[in-house]
Amino acid sequence: EDCRVLVIAGARTTPSQEEFAEIRRYLAAGGHALFLIESAIRTPTGTLTEQERRMNPTWNELLKDWGLTLGDDVAVDVSNHMGQDIGCPATSKYPDHDKIVKGLGITFYVRPRSLRFESPKDRKVLYAPLVHTLNAESSWAETDKSLYVHFDSGQDTRGPVAIAGVLLQDPKTWKDGKA
């Protein structure tokens, strides 16, 4: 009851079922949360060990309750990136959101995962993407787990890729039907 915002920052272990249940209770009671989820691990072989898999949780088991899914991928941009790393997309593409991204300049992200939203059937949730990769021609959500990056039609998702977003469940906080 004394928590104003629950912050999950770069968790390195998958939560237990009891921890998931406690977080669900907190959120269902109107609690606020900020999830800063690590990027998906990539290796030269493309195969992750069980330990690497456990140390890189997606939180999808919890986030799916609100219609959000993090991809098991990395958003890449071959034209707009930081340094020589196409897995660190640089962008200035922010959908309108007057409280969070208004006036934000160019930002970059270290191997971000893609976000997908589908309205849950059991509750009213609003979703607003906050950050996208810059364009469709040079960006996509790369699913290949090796370090070889190439667009595969039918496997990878063409950009712009949503890499940050906000969810609202409380209708009292909505403005004109928007998050």
Side-chain angles (χ1 to χ4, degrees), residues 65-79:
D65 295 345
W66 286 271
L68 194 63
T69 304
L70 271 71
D72 187 14
D73 54 29
V74 174
V76 299
D77 192 323
V78 296
S79 296

Side-chain angles (χ1 to χ4, degrees), residues 11-138:
R12 287 289 184 208
T13 58
T14 300
S16 68
Q17 291 305 312
E18 294 79 20
E19 289 167 323
F20 272 133
E22 187 61 32
I23 295 169
R24 277 190 176 101
R25 277 192 291 278
Y26 169 75
L27 294 173
H32 299 86
L34 173 64
F35 290 87
L36 303 168
I37 299 171
E38 290 290 320
S39 60
I41 296 173
R42 297 295 186 253
T43 65
T45 64
T47 304
L48 302 181
T49 66
E50 185 56 37
Q51 181 180 7
E52 286 171 325
R53 232 184 320 282
R54 280 194 317 271
M55 289 179 59
N56 199 229
T58 65
W59 291 83
N60 281 336
E61 182 177 334
L62 178 72
L63 296 174
K64 69 181 178 187
D65 295 345
W66 286 271
L68 194 63
T69 304
L70 271 71
D72 187 14
D73 54 29
V74 174
V76 299
D77 192 323
V78 296
S79 296
N80 307 287
H81 52 272
M82 182 68 176
Q84 299 296 314
D85 191 345
I86 65 173
C88 292
T91 188
S92 58
K93 187 170 185 145
Y94 315 107
D96 288 339
H97 195 288
D98 62 345
K99 299 211 183 327
I100 300 175
V101 294
K102 184 177 182 177
L104 200 57
I106 296 173
T107 56
F108 68 93
Y109 303 83
V110 179
R111 292 178 193 78
R113 295 178 189 228
S114 67
L115 300 177
R116 288 182 308 284
F117 178 76
E118 185 177 315
S119 289
K121 295 177 183 17
D122 64 337
R123 65 182 80 199
K124 180 72 171 168
V125 175
L126 288 180
Y127 165 71
L130 292 178
V131 181
H132 283 107
T133 55
L134 208 47
N135 63 56
E137 293 78 36
S138 66

Side-chain angles (χ1 to χ4, degrees), residues 73-76 114 139-143 151 155-159 161:
D73 54 29
V74 174
V76 299
S114 67
S139 68
W140 65 89
E142 176 63 60
T143 57
F151 181 76
Q155 263 185 285
D156 298 331
T157 303
R158 181 62 72 189
V161 178

